[in-house]
Amino acid sequence: MTTSENYKTKKFEILLCLLLFALWTIPAVFIDKPEIKVLGIPLLWFYYITLSFITSLVITLMYLLDER
């Protein structure tokens, strides 16, 4: 048996994935206002740039802090 067959997903990993999915899909409808700019770029672009950075950090931390 390989280690991947013995792995069970933890509840916080599922919740974190659901939260990230919601953050990537839901807010676009509410913050798509091209007239609002943050650091010279539209708010929606800024949101997704920031979210992609945070998502990559979360995934990296989950990988590094995993006890497997």
Side-chain angles (χ1 to χ4, degrees):
M1 241 188 209
T2 64
T3 57
S4 62
E5 293 174 3
N6 294 331
Y7 179 72
K8 285 190 145 191
T9 307
K10 297 174 185 118
K11 289 186 181 185
F12 82 90
E13 291 174 339
I14 294 172
L15 292 174
L16 189 60
C17 289
L18 289 173
L19 174 67
L20 288 173
F21 177 76
L23 288 174
W24 274 98
T25 55
I26 295 171
V29 176
F30 300 111
I31 62 173
D32 189 16
K33 298 180 180 9
E35 66 277 357
I36 301 174
K37 297 194 180 219
V38 177
L39 300 174
I41 57 175
L43 180 62
L44 186 61
W45 288 23
F46 181 77
Y47 174 78
Y48 280 119
I49 290 169
T50 306
L51 187 60
S52 64
F53 180 73
I54 290 170
T55 302
S56 64
L57 282 177
V58 166
I59 291 170
T60 302
L61 286 174
M62 283 177 62
Y63 176 75
L64 291 175
L65 300 176
D66 194 14
E67 297 177 4
R68 289 178 276 186

